[in-house]
Structures are given as C-alpha cells and as structure tokens.
Amino acid sequence: HGTSAIAGAAAWDAVFAAWRARSPDPERADREWGSLRASPVPGMLARAEVAVQAEMPFLWRRAADQVVEGVVDLAAYDAAADAWLILDWKTNRLPREAGMEHLAYLYAAQVEAYAEAFRGLFGRPVRTGLYSTWLGEWREVSPL
C-alpha cells in the first residue's frame, strides 16, 4: 500500500506500464486501464487501512456435510470499517445496453456465495460488487 491514494495510483500505473508490453491487445489494455483508473475502485482500495489480496482462495465449512470452495478475484479488508469488500472482475464482452444490470443478474448467486463464505469465515460484514472491464463500470451487488 502507498501512504495515500495518489502514491498507490502511481505504483499501480508503474506496474501497468511494465506489463502493458506483454498485452496481446495494447489498445484494449490502455482503454480498460483508463476506465478502471477513472472508476471508484482505486479509491476504495488505495487507502492505508485497506489490505488487498488478489486471487484469494477460500474453503468454508458451511455445514457438517457441505463446503463452499472458491477463489475470489479480489478481497479487501477495510480495518477502519472492520468489513470486507469482495470484488469480482468480469471480462464479458456485452452490449452497453445490457449493462451492469445484466451482469448483476448473471452473477448475483456467485458473489452471494462469496459473501456468505466470508461472513462465515471471518464474522464480519461483507460488501460485494462486480467490475466490468469491458464496460469500465463498477456496481455493488446486494445479497440475494
């Protein structure tokens, strides 16, 4: 983490610049990176009290005969709020008119399973959301 959102953003830009050359579609990478940077997501993650873990695996015993297992795209624990944010990246190429409402409909059960598991594992409030790389939009997804 940087000491501020600006320091964090500068570090993120440096990592993006280093990896951009490996992109199979640099123009798309530039467009999607610009959209992400303009979204509310960096502001949610680049604060000193937020610990971020990408590709976080979990295994939660839901009941004696049930487990929930998965890998969360991005989990962020906000110590100030004592709460988790689960962010699921979606790369679906979809018409703009379908939008985030369509993605929320398609993936609500998936992010709810993540939220249920994290509440069970950590006993803390959990917010869930989707970020569409194609649309360049963030949407919080409420529990089912």
Side-chain angles (χ1 to χ4, degrees), residues 4-66:
S4 70
I6 294 170
W12 296 356
D13 287 339
V15 170
F16 173 75
W19 283 91
R20 183 189 180 277
R22 294 183 179 200
S23 173
D25 188 346
E27 289 178 9
R28 180 178 176 189
D30 289 341
R31 178 177 46 82
E32 291 184 2
W33 181 248
S35 295
L36 174 64
R37 296 286 281 111
S39 80
V41 172
M44 292 187 288
L45 303 177
R47 297 184 344 255
E49 63 272 12
V50 177
V52 177
Q53 177 65 49
E55 299 294 326
M56 183 175 175
F58 66 89
L59 178 65
W60 172 57
R61 179 179 232 157
R62 184 179 197 186
D65 61 343
Q66 295 179 334

Side-chain angles (χ1 to χ4, degrees), residues 77-89:
Y77 177 70
D78 184 336
D82 193 23
W84 286 90
L85 170 66
I86 304 299
L87 193 149
D88 199 50
W89 301 100

